[in-house]
Amino acid sequence: MFDMDGTLIDSIHGWVVSYKKFLKQENLQETLELFKMLDGKKLIKKCEIIKEYFNLPLSQMEIYKRCLVFVKEGYDNDFKAKDGVIESLEYLNDKGYKISLNTATKMEVCKGALERLNLLKYFDYIQTCKECGFLKEDERFYEISIKRHGENASDILFFDDNILPLETAKKLGIKTCLVFDEITCKNYFDSFKLSDFKLNKISIDSLKSIGL
């Protein structure tokens, strides 16, 4: 089981800066105060803060959809697979492993990158939060994943660059691997102890090092 953003595709920066593009489009200045208010927040929350900070007539969702346009452009044209990912997926596919993509990003937003990078062929199935109806912080997301894999939870390994999904999956007995990303987990990568494995990057050698 693989997460997508920050794990397989180098897309986190595009999500982070999308609100900046919205501000530029609206000729709005990001102050230091606003930067601190937005730091570490998810995009949907950033949009709420921006609306209130500038007293904009746009709704939170209207701002969010505007930001998503910039994110989708990144998937369609710019975001790349992280170094070593394509070779690693090819390696796992050749070894006969069942491979799935488990992401919070809607397919209509990210499909352009999956097609452009020729990644779709590696996945036995793709599970999104929208498609299954549960967030990745919800155990029911992983109950569905286990059924779709058709394996015991302990025989499934989940790769993600965020700790909350990993902690949730682990409650159901799924083995977990924290994957380093410069933006999402740099500050806690070394100190986090609850995953079964940690990888600085996904590569054939790193996969072999954890028994795959």
Side-chain angles (χ1 to χ4, degrees):
M1 291 174 58
F2 286 94
D3 167 57
M4 182 178 66
D5 298 302
T7 301
L8 298 181
I9 296 180
D10 195 7
S11 52
I12 299 298
H13 179 71
W15 283 90
V16 171
V17 302
S18 61
Y19 81 87
K20 295 179 181 288
K21 294 180 178 181
F22 168 79
L23 293 179
K24 183 177 181 181
Q25 198 174 61
E26 291 292 311
N27 295 313
L28 299 171
Q29 184 68 36
E30 182 180 17
T31 63
L32 179 59
E33 178 188 36
L34 179 60
F35 173 80
K36 291 179 178 178
M37 292 169 67
L38 298 176
D39 189 36
K41 303 292 193 304
K42 289 188 175 182
L43 181 57
I44 188 69
K45 182 63 177 178
K46 288 178 179 179
C47 295
E48 178 186 2
I49 294 170
I50 288 169
K51 171 182 170 52
E52 294 176 355
Y53 188 83
F54 292 105
N55 194 26
L56 297 177
L58 298 168
S59 70
Q60 176 188 6
M61 286 307 301
E62 285 173 327
I63 298 171
Y64 182 67
K65 288 177 181 179
R66 291 267 298 273
C67 291
L68 279 185
V69 170
F70 299 121
V71 176
K72 187 177 185 303
E73 288 174 355
Y75 283 111
D76 289 345
N77 304 307
D78 302 319
F79 299 158
K80 296 178 173 59
K82 297 184 81 170
D83 185 39
V85 159
I86 293 177
E87 298 88 346
S88 298
L89 291 174
E90 191 71 36
Y91 166 78
L92 292 173
N93 186 62
D94 289 344
K95 295 271 285 185
Y97 287 105
K98 189 169 187 176
I99 306 172
S100 65
L101 184 66
N102 301 263
T103 178
T105 303
K106 296 177 181 178
M107 277 299 294
E108 56 261 36
V109 176
C110 66
K111 189 176 181 180
L114 295 172
E115 292 178 337
R116 177 172 53 82
L117 298 171
N118 200 24
L119 294 178
L120 288 171
K121 64 181 180 181
Y122 295 113
F123 304 120
D124 291 275
Y125 73 84
I126 296 174
Q127 183 168 310
T128 68
C129 294
K130 179 182 178 181
E131 173 254 337
C132 76
F134 302 108
L135 297 175
K136 288 177 66 182
E137 294 79 16
D138 191 316
E139 291 183 18
R140 290 170 291 185
F141 183 97
Y142 303 97
E143 290 172 351
I144 294 171
S145 297
I146 293 168
K147 289 179 181 178
R148 296 181 79 170
H149 267 271
E151 305 284 349
N152 294 324
S154 59
D155 293 325
I156 301 172
L157 178 56
F158 178 38
F159 298 81
D160 204 308
D161 60 305
N162 276 295
I163 60 174
L164 190 52
L166 293 176
E167 290 173 338
T168 307
K170 194 171 180 64
K171 291 177 183 177
L172 296 178
I174 296 173
K175 288 188 172 68
T176 57
C177 181
L178 179 63
V179 180
F180 180 82
D181 183 81
E182 186 71 24
I183 297 175
T184 56
C185 63
K186 179 180 180 179
N187 293 335
Y188 57 76
F189 183 79
D190 290 334
S191 61
F192 185 66
K193 305 297 183 185
L194 296 181
S195 61
D196 295 285
F197 307 103
K198 288 195 287 189
L199 296 179
N200 286 302
K201 62 174 287 186
I202 293 175
S203 68
I204 293 176
D205 286 342
S206 68
L207 293 177
K208 287 181 177 179
S209 75
I210 60 173
L212 297 178

